Amino acid sequence: MATAIFVRDIAQYDGQEVTVRGWVKAKTGKGKLQFVRLRDGTGQVQCVAFKKEMDEADFEAIRGLTQESSVIITGNVRADERAPGYPGGYEIGVTGVEVVQVGDEYPITPKEHGTEYLMDRRHLWLRSDRQWAILRIRATIIKAMRDWLDNNGFLLVDTPIITPAAGEETTTLFELDYFGEPAYLAQTGQLYNEANIFAFGRVYCFGPTFRAEKSKTRRHLIEFWMLEPEIAYCDLDELMDVEEQLVSYIVAQVLAKHQQELEIIERDTVQLANIAAPFPRITYDEAIERLQKLADETDDPEQKELLKIEWGEDFGSPHETALAEMFNRPVFVYHYPSAVKAFYMQPVAGRDEVCRSVDLLAPEGYGEIIGGSERIFDADLLRQKLQAQGLPEENYDWYLQLRQFGSVPHAGFGIGIERTVAWICGLDHIRETIPYARLLNRKYP
Ligand code: 4AD
Ligand code: MG
């Protein structure tokens, strides 16, 4: 009996007879010689079938294979520098085959398909090299984030998905019928993280979050995944230290583990190799000055119009892009106007109109990947802010109590998984960063 192996481990089996179980990526060849490119989920290998080296029936079975047919192939592993595949460098000389199912005519072929066509077939599109590479990188990004936090004194504490009140702006809430009462899908786990720090010090939550974003952009999902650390006795500077360490670690892990995948998606890694802490830190005021100066100096009227911004306005994506382009690494922008940020952010002492918030903007036009802040830790001030935003105080009673029993300055942030994947993979649109994207116009499949 040949050993059943995973293609990723093929180098360990040079000269041995093995069995691989997978799907036909492609088949070429003619007459007595057939080439089957086999995927098994862990990699791809070229299987070479030579009529005289196997049973007639097996050879005929191979000739009849269609794209995506499921097969179990047995054969001898041999090193060959030119052999294509992932990892490549080895091929299998076929000695036998068991056809599990001959696939119907497969709707996704090597020719170009439109995006909507592919999104309608996302359940099949995931099998393509490019999607395989992106989602493997996504898994590493999530693991890297969690490893870094686990190794730096943070505890994973899960937060609820069904919540009684808004965690961010009320305009993007998804309402549910909770046995006759309104409830909402979580926009953030932050408010619960804030309770959890009093029990555990440094915590994080990781899970899906939901926002009924009415905007159709290449950066917004309706359902996205967020990792949110929260830290007791922490100020904005320390928060930025944590963020830049975390982000540098993620990028380093992807570069160390995914050269093959980065090549498949044709990511230029020169820019990524530059990503190392510390990251530049500028205030919102300085960002506005820089943008206004850039708008003044630009000759392109269209660009001038796009860059226009007054103090007090939130950045649009042209602004974030322009700011991030001024630096060759992610840049922190801190002390945003309170009016454009959430109710829970601590005001800057002596300058009530700005708050102790910080966004991290990714380079190469990706913009905000992290939002964070110091939190208001005074009960009265928090109550005032809730009122000012028209948020019903009774829904936040538990949250206000946190300011009553040993309140401390604290801070935290949320990093969007999909925005981070889009940036690190260099993707044009967020839809490819998640297995099944939920977009304004799509919830299928
Ligand atoms: O800036 P946001 O809204 O911050 C919060 O939710 C805080 N409660 C986080 C915290 O302090 N614990 O969102 C944080 C990040 C954004 O920077 C972005 O990366 C991502 O979440 N994000 C989205 N990603 C995809 N689609 C959307 N609609 C997103 N909205 C936010
Ligand atoms: Mg934000």
Side-chain angles (χ1 to χ4, degrees), residues 168-169 211 314 320 336 340-341 344-345 358-359 368-372 414 419:
E168 297 289 326
E169 66 280 273
R211 298 198 192 169
D314 202 358
E320 290 188 352
Y336 281 74
V340 302
K341 291 290 180 191
Y344 49 70
M345 297 192 182
V358 60
D359 281 2
E368 180 193 340
I369 56 169
I370 300 184
R419 296 243 184 116

Side-chain angles (χ1 to χ4, degrees), residues 145-156:
M145 288 176 180
R146 298 207 35 200
D147 283 348
W148 191 89
L149 291 165
D150 291 343
N151 292 334
N152 282 276
F154 288 79
L155 186 75
L156 173 72

Side-chain angles (χ1 to χ4, degrees), residues 72-228:
I72 300 174
I73 286 181
T74 300
N76 296 306
V77 177
R78 48 187 187 231
D80 179 346
E81 262 176 33
R82 299 156 308 165
Y86 307 118
Y90 296 86
E91 62 177 26
I92 292 179
V94 182
T95 54
V97 65
E98 181 189 328
V99 178
V100 181
Q101 194 237 341
V102 176
D104 286 350
E105 195 181 333
Y106 194 63
I108 301 178
T109 59
K111 73 163 201 193
E112 289 274 311
H113 297 286
T115 306
E116 291 307 310
Y117 180 91
L118 291 168
M119 287 299 281
D120 282 341
R121 291 159 187 79
R122 184 64 173 164
H123 50 294
L124 303 177
W125 190 22
L126 292 181
R127 304 179 189 193
S128 77
D129 293 359
R130 179 179 162 83
Q131 304 309 316
W132 179 78
I134 294 168
L135 293 178
R136 283 163 63 88
I137 293 173
R138 173 187 169 105
T140 292
I141 288 172
I142 293 170
K143 179 169 160 47
M145 288 176 180
R146 298 207 35 200
D147 283 348
W148 191 89
L149 291 165
D150 291 343
N151 292 334
N152 282 276
F154 288 79
L155 186 75
L156 173 72
V157 183
D158 302 314
T159 53
I161 302 294
I162 299 176
T163 61
E168 297 289 326
E169 66 280 273
T170 50
T171 50
T172 63
L173 276 176
F174 261 110
E175 192 170 326
L176 303 176
D177 174 5
Y178 196 76
F179 309 109
E181 292 202 352
Y184 310 95
L185 292 178
Q187 297 169 302
T188 170
Q190 178 197 319
L191 274 51
Y192 297 93
N193 274 343
E194 288 185 62
N196 298 338
I197 55 164
F198 294 94
F200 305 104
R202 293 177 152 212
V203 301
Y204 68 100
C205 62
F206 171 62
T209 43
F210 306 86
R211 298 198 192 169
E213 305 267 9
K214 310 294 186 309
S215 53
K216 202 169 144 187
T217 78
R218 58 189 184 85
R219 309 197 303 162
H220 287 91
L221 287 166
I222 303 301
E223 177 179 305
F224 64 98
W225 289 67
M226 186 158 52
L227 178 129
E228 297 179 88

Side-chain angles (χ1 to χ4, degrees), residues 116 120 213 216 222 437-444:
E116 291 307 310
D120 282 341
E213 305 267 9
K216 202 169 144 187
I222 303 301
R438 298 294 172 244
L439 299 161
L440 190 57
N441 61 348
R442 176 175 298 280
K443 59 179 185 322
Y444 178 92

